[in-house]
Amino acid sequence: MTREDYLRQVVYWLNDLPWGMRQNLLAEIRAHLDELPADTDLRAQLGTPEAYAKELRAAADLERRRGPIAFLRARRPRNLILIALVLTVTGLAIGAVVWIDRYEPLAFGGGAQYPAGAKGVAGISGESVVFRKGRPFIFGIQITNTGRYTVRILGVPYAAIHPWTARLLMTHPNYSGSMTRPYERFRPFDLKPHQIAFLVFKGVYACHTGAGAGLTMTYSDFPIRYKFLWRTATTAIPLPEDLAFVFRTSCPPPKNPTLTP
Amino acid sequence: VDQAQLLKGVLELAVLAVIARGETYGYEILSTLESAGFDGVGDASVYGTLRRLEQAGHLESRLEASDSGPARKYYSVTARGAEQLQAGTETWKGISDALERLVK
């Protein structure tokens, strides 16, 4: 056993002592051992490292220390700082991921365009409109970014089956909330904090639903697909009022449906 | 009575006595103690005692570079240590005389 091995094992048996004190002891014991002749059999001369540590502890009144404080003090300060740093960074990273995962800044922007003829009907909540195949159709809402960071708007992912064929149009994001034309064809865009954009479907009523006569199909929200940093998500923005499509005649799905948007 | 246990009790006094003769270092203190008959005391006990006495202010030390190896730690007795040695010696003599009278 080399002196360093012996020393390491002695210090191991003193590992409850504060790190600084242990380093001090290590230096002192090393200095003492260095005074011994080079060919000294340390185990024979000094006993086992455990016995040496025990004897030293008794003679120097170094009582065994227990508890969490002693445990922390026995660690190397640099390592404690590193561990604290790693824990802090990990915690912040987890916090950031959770925050980003929950970041949902989009909300109703204050204005909506319901199909022509939509009105309140007794027995049906919100606005109702009678489905008339091939008639002009328009439906959209304003969205706004209530958060502190820009998000990218990717689309309006309504389920494939809905009673219209239309293009998705938009107004350029602005701060005034203007819904006036010109509309432009939708393309993914950045919506900055407090900006408002108007997203609107414009086209004709069409049969994709397979709805029978007497059926009512109600929409309560306007889905927005958006991207924030690496996360892509869909948020359902509640409509100011439900929109119900009332089918007076059956509306069979086409053989080769054209899906929108 | 186990000699090692008996010697341990007076080790503090013995170490102070050795150092009071003049500034010295660990290995020399050990050798002196062994020569004087303290051969039942382990090295760790002596070094532990040195540390305790130094922490208590009875000893002071300085490091001196050595030609043959690492710096050597030299110990000397402080005024407080000298008082401790004197008081301890008197106590020990009292005990020793009393014991001598009993075992005669």
Side-chain angles (χ1 to χ4, degrees):
Chain A
M1 179 185 282
T2 65
R3 288 182 184 209
E4 283 306 312
D5 289 340
Y6 190 87
L7 266 172
R8 201 163 39 245
Q9 289 189 35
V10 169
V11 171
Y12 168 79
W13 290 102
L14 299 170
N15 65 4
D16 57 298
L17 300 176
W19 188 82
M21 182 191 284
R22 227 164 53 231
Q23 294 308 302
N24 195 266
L25 275 171
L26 180 67
E28 286 189 12
I29 299 168
R30 179 179 278 122
H32 292 320
L33 295 188
D34 284 341
E35 288 174 354
L36 296 173
D39 57 350
T40 303
D41 180 344
L42 295 176
R43 273 181 174 268
Q45 175 82 19
L46 308 174
T48 64
E50 183 182 1
Y52 189 95
K54 194 175 174 185
E55 197 177 325
L56 185 74
R57 193 190 282 277
D61 285 345
L62 301 172
E63 289 179 1
R64 180 162 282 284
R65 302 181 187 211
R66 300 174 200 280
I69 300 295
F71 176 83
L72 289 176
R73 291 189 67 195
R75 308 275 80 78
R76 189 176 189 173
R78 191 189 69 183
N79 292 350
L80 280 180
I81 291 169
L82 273 175
I83 289 169
L85 210 63
V86 167
L87 286 177
T88 305
V89 169
T90 306
L92 286 175
I94 291 171
V97 168
V98 168
W99 181 79
I100 288 166
D101 203 48
R102 292 181 177 179
Y103 188 65
E104 200 172 284
L106 298 177
F108 177 61
Q113 173 71 63
Y114 278 49
K119 59 183 178 184
V121 172
I124 301 176
S125 70
E127 300 277 306
S128 296
V129 66
V130 176
F131 176 86
R132 287 194 174 87
K133 186 179 173 184
R135 290 287 186 88
F137 173 81
I138 188 164
F139 172 47
I141 65 165
Q142 282 182 321
I143 60 167
T144 185
N145 183 350
T146 59
R148 295 173 61 189
Y149 304 98
T150 298
V151 293
R152 189 158 183 79
I153 306 301
L154 302 176
V156 182
Y158 266 122
I161 297 172
H162 46 258
W164 67 77
T165 293
R167 275 188 174 171
L168 181 60
L169 306 177
M170 59 182 276
T171 57
H172 197 74
N174 58 74
Y175 293 97
S176 66
S178 166
M179 290 171 69
T180 55
R181 298 179 184 185
Y183 299 149
E184 52 192 82
R185 188 166 186 174
F186 177 85
R187 52 180 168 67
F189 63 95
D190 288 339
L191 190 63
K192 294 177 181 168
H194 311 302
Q195 273 193 332
I196 299 171
F198 181 42
L199 299 177
V200 60
F201 286 107
K202 199 164 187 303
V204 294
Y205 288 93
C207 290
H208 305 296
T209 61
L215 188 89
T216 299
M217 183 181 281
T218 304
Y219 286 80
S220 300
D221 49 48
F222 201 84
I224 302 290
R225 189 87 175 145
Y226 68 98
K227 186 173 184 182
F228 177 59
L229 297 177
W230 61 82
R231 175 174 170 256
T232 301
T234 299
T235 183
I237 297 180
L239 293 172
E241 287 186 278
D242 289 354
L243 173 61
F245 292 90
V246 178
F247 293 85
R248 287 187 177 156
T249 56
S250 65
C251 182
K255 289 178 183 174
N256 297 304
T258 304
L259 304 179
T260 58
Chain B
V1 180
D2 185 339
Q3 192 193 16
Q5 289 300 317
L6 194 63
L7 291 177
K8 226 171 192 177
V10 292
L11 189 57
E12 185 177 310
L13 206 54
V15 167
L16 274 174
V18 171
I19 301 171
R21 293 176 176 181
E23 192 182 52
T24 183
Y25 57 95
Y27 187 64
E28 198 170 63
I29 296 166
L30 260 170
S31 303
T32 308
L33 287 170
E34 282 175 8
S35 305
F38 283 81
D39 50 354
V41 179
D43 295 27
S45 292
V46 173
Y47 292 131
T49 303
L50 282 169
R51 181 182 171 81
R52 182 158 49 81
L53 287 171
E54 191 177 10
Q55 297 278 314
H58 296 150
L59 295 178
E60 57 190 7
S61 65
R62 66 179 177 85
L63 284 173
E64 188 175 299
S66 164
D67 296 337
S68 56
R72 188 172 271 169
K73 195 172 185 180
Y74 280 86
Y75 295 93
S76 55
V77 174
T78 61
R80 200 169 154 191
E83 285 172 18
Q84 175 75 6
L85 175 60
Q86 193 179 348
T89 305
E90 283 169 11
T91 306
W92 175 250
K93 275 182 182 168
I95 293 170
S96 177
D97 290 347
L99 189 62
E100 201 173 329
R101 283 194 293 275
L102 283 174
V103 297
K104 261 184 184 175

